DNA sequence: TACATTATGTAATGATCGTTACATTTCGCG
DNA sequence: CGCGAAATGTAACGATCATTACATAATGTA
């Protein structure tokens, strides 16, 4: 575990937090080297493609996490369980909205085109999984799709709101409201 | 109209679009000079505080626009009219989500603290105006506040989704859904 | 231990960063 | 026209940018 030698996989979560805090353009190699504790040589050794490869690896790592912890459960558990579970997991992952969604942030400026192959599929997979979960709950495809979009928007917008206003409750308020309109058998109540 | 002399107020909307496309860190003075057509001297003549003052002026300009076209109508017209009107105005302003909300984008990384005095009030005023509109419609304060947050999140999240997936309908889908749950006398139907 | 591989430290590259100085031009106004 | 003010062009500043070269150190394996 506590290896004395740095590994590429150890770097990725640290890189993710650096990109979250400074943004892609704001995270210079100097800052990255300082905040990771790795030298420039090590960084380019693990990521020969430079900053682009670092960000790409981070986005791939995020995609993997969501595939495992968010998308897959949505396709396996009934909506009344899967959706409250998702809300719980997201509230922890995004730290009540204070921790941003890097994929969403990258989608906002011209980084979107540079990392399009990571950004598009992330949201499409998420929407598809939500829609699948809602359709299996007996909802028409068109309704399920719109509801999935609404939930996704509540998540992304909740993050923006929470960070912009410093209101730690905004994220959960937005996300639970978007789900509570579905009239699921058990009202989703986030566990504290 | 087509003045031969550049004015500070002419620059601000152009600066806004540049910051939208490249982000704050990504918009270098070189890029700004090239894309505005103004020389470095002119830029620093109108904005002695440099890039920070440019962004601050842009944010102030945006705040003024929203105060006039979004917040004030919410406090003057009944919810059944004000909310559909707001949706129409936002769909045009944000170009179905393809044009980002600069204030929301700045809230995501460490720019949030640098421009906190612009970012916080923007969302607080918006939430307050929405909440006021809903309370006057007879809704309890706590409910009105939660509904306002949900609508705001749908707007911000709808922009992220629309840009990330290239789906021009996602923005309107998210925003109209967040409002349609209110059960207003007339179902909000966006005019095309 | 010996050796090839992998990892790191140091220092430098040219390019671009934000910003400034200063001379020149254009303007408003008499 | 004349003159002060406002606006612009050009060139440069030191700092920092992403990236590379190369020497040194640590490692896995035999």
């Amino acid at each position: 575990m506590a290896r004395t030698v740095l590994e590429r996989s150890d770097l990725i979560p640290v890189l993710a937090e650096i990109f979250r805090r400074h943004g892609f353009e704001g995270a210079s190699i100097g800052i990255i080297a300082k905040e990771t504790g790795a030298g420039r040589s090590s960084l380019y050794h693990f990521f020969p493609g430079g900053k682009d490869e670092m960000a790409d690896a981070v986005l791939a790592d995020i995609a993997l996490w969501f595939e495992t912890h968010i998308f897959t459960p949505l396709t396996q558990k009934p909506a009344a369980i899967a959706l409250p579970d998702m809300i719980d997991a997201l509230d922890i992952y995004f730290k009540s909205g204070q921790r941003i969604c890097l994929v969403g942030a990258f989608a906002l400026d011209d980084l979107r085109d540079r990392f399009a192959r990571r950004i598009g599929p992330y949201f499409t997979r998420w929407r598809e999984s939500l829609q699948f979960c809602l359709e299996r709950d007996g909802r028409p495809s068109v309704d399920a799709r719109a509801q999935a979009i609404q939930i996704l928007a509540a998540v992304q917008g909740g993050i923006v709101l929470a960070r912009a206003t410093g209101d730690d409750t905004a994220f959960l308020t937005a996300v639970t409201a978007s789900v509570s309109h579905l009239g699921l058998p058990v009202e989703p109540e986030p566990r504290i």
Side-chain angles (χ1 to χ4, degrees), chain A:
Chain A
M1 301 306 154
R3 293 174 48 92
T4 160
V5 179
L6 206 54
E7 279 190 21
R8 188 186 136 109
S9 58
D10 299 328
L11 241 25
I12 292 178
V14 187
L15 289 172
E17 295 311 315
I18 293 173
F19 286 133
R20 271 185 240 267
R21 177 160 48 252
H22 301 287
F24 180 78
E25 302 290 351
S28 71
I29 297 291
I31 289 178
I32 293 173
K34 180 181 297 178
E35 298 195 7
T36 57
R40 292 165 126 78
S41 337
S42 300
L43 291 171
Y44 279 95
H45 175 72
F46 291 123
F47 305 95
K51 236 169 73 165
D52 275 58
E53 189 175 340
M54 297 179 204
D56 192 73
V58 166
L59 294 177
D61 190 59
I62 291 172
L64 197 62
W65 189 92
F66 272 80
E67 196 64 47
T68 305
H69 295 88
I70 304 291
F71 306 160
T72 298
L74 283 173
T75 64
Q76 291 178 341
K77 291 189 275 183
I81 294 176
L83 291 178
D85 280 1
M86 182 184 82
I87 294 179
D88 291 348
L90 291 178
D91 192 50
I92 294 173
Y93 180 84
F94 289 124
K95 297 192 196 302
S96 301
Q98 297 302 326
R99 186 168 183 247
I100 71 159
C101 175
L102 207 53
V103 193
F106 277 22
L108 288 182
D109 56 20
D110 54 8
L111 289 176
R112 178 191 58 163
D113 303 319
R114 236 157 119 190
F115 297 102
R117 75 193 177 94
R118 299 287 181 196
I119 296 172
Y122 171 85
F123 285 103
T124 300
R125 282 282 300 143
W126 198 345
R127 196 259 305 152
E128 284 172 350
S129 306
L130 274 170
Q131 183 174 345
F132 179 87
C133 180
L134 292 168
E135 284 186 30
R136 209 183 33 187
D137 198 48
R139 295 154 200 280
S141 180
V142 175
D143 295 355
R145 184 190 164 96
Q147 288 160 349
I149 288 176
Q150 196 199 349
I151 294 171
L152 265 184
V155 172
Q156 297 295 315
I159 293 172
V160 174
L161 275 191
R163 281 195 51 91
T165 63
D167 178 5
D168 276 337
T169 70
F171 178 74
L172 218 43
T173 297
V175 177
T176 55
S178 73
V179 169
S180 67
H181 294 132
L182 298 173
L184 293 174
V186 177
E187 187 74 5
E189 188 118 353
R191 304 152 198 163
I192 304 174

